[in-house]
Amino acid sequence: MPESSGSQEISFPAEERVGQASWYGDPYHGRRTSNGETYDKFTMTAAHRTLAFDTMVRVNNLENGKNVAVRINDRGPFVKDRIIDLSYAAAREIDMLKNGTAKVSLDILKVVPNPFPLTIQVGSFREESKARKLKKELEEEFRPVVIRRFDSSEGRFFRVLVGEFRDPQAAGIVLKKLRAIKQDSFLVRMDP
């Protein structure tokens, strides 16, 4: 069900509404986030793979009934079955620091338009040769398949991406096809 703010609407897939949340603090505190800000673990922010930067989201901890409003200012988590990565302060607010993860649901509070298309991340490798091998395999059925270098605080990665979608439903169809052939895939936003 689309959430809206004013006249703007977005499509928010069901698989991205309920899932596992994680949190991050040190050593990321003080480092640059995906939107260019300096990460401050004491602010109510979060990382999400597809929502536009500055979108406001209510995160509901389904394990204890607590919730917190956060602003999206980073990308991630790039881990299967996780849907949002909270700042230390936000995780503390919903009492999930000790366990590290919690089952949550997300509600969009404020929509911000995002001009950048979606893509599907199928793999992320430290070795470029592994990314090239997967790209070659995928090109037999999917186009376009590209490799994007990603420099993170954990080092350099080569991400294998399939497609470029303006329509979330079209992206969802390809995502299901990839998962049907046992590719561990998820939607990501193609920010510059």
Side-chain angles (χ1 to χ4, degrees), residues 50 114-119 163-167 188-191:
T50 60
N114 191 326
F116 302 106
L118 295 167
T119 188
E164 188 171 312
F165 308 94
R166 296 265 174 217
D167 175 26
V188 294
R189 184 69 64 182
M190 294 181 77
D191 297 309

Side-chain angles (χ1 to χ4, degrees), residues 7-171:
S7 62
Q8 299 170 353
E9 291 190 5
I10 64 166
S11 178
F12 198 49
E15 67 185 36
E16 292 189 28
R17 283 190 222 135
V18 176
Q20 290 292 313
S22 51
W23 67 274
Y24 63 125
D26 297 320
Y28 302 99
H29 183 69
R31 293 186 181 173
R32 187 175 168 268
T33 64
S34 297
N35 76 347
E37 295 177 10
T38 299
Y39 174 61
D40 180 351
K41 70 180 187 177
F42 299 109
T43 60
M44 298 298 181
T45 58
H48 192 274
R49 292 189 297 260
T50 60
L51 291 174
F53 295 133
D54 295 324
T55 296
M56 294 296 297
V57 179
R58 181 174 45 245
V59 181
N60 306 293
N61 185 334
L62 300 176
E63 296 170 7
N64 63 20
K66 296 182 178 183
N67 65 68
V68 64
V70 295
R71 180 178 60 86
I72 304 300
N73 74 337
D74 208 355
R75 290 291 175 229
F78 298 108
V79 176
K80 184 182 178 188
D81 297 327
R82 294 196 188 162
I83 61 172
I84 196 164
D85 211 358
L86 302 174
S87 68
Y88 167 85
R92 182 180 61 207
E93 189 77 15
I94 61 171
D95 200 21
M96 62 170 272
L97 289 176
K98 184 177 179 183
N99 292 340
T101 61
K103 187 170 184 178
V104 299
S105 67
L106 306 180
D107 298 313
I108 304 297
L109 301 175
K110 175 187 165 199
V111 174
V112 176
N114 191 326
F116 302 106
L118 295 167
T119 188
I120 301 168
Q121 181 172 313
V122 184
S124 182
F125 303 93
R126 289 188 185 272
E127 297 173 33
E128 188 174 8
S129 61
K130 290 181 178 180
R132 288 179 194 264
K133 181 179 182 225
L134 179 58
K135 178 182 188 282
K136 186 176 180 181
E137 291 171 11
L138 292 169
E139 284 177 326
E140 294 175 14
E141 187 174 347
F142 301 95
R143 299 256 178 198
V145 180
V146 298
I147 297 172
R148 271 207 178 162
R149 191 176 86 192
F150 177 70
D151 293 314
S152 79
S153 59
E154 282 127 32
R156 177 169 290 163
F157 292 88
F158 297 92
R159 297 165 63 192
V160 180
L161 307 173
V162 172
E164 188 171 312
F165 308 94
R166 296 265 174 217
D167 175 26
Q169 283 73 30

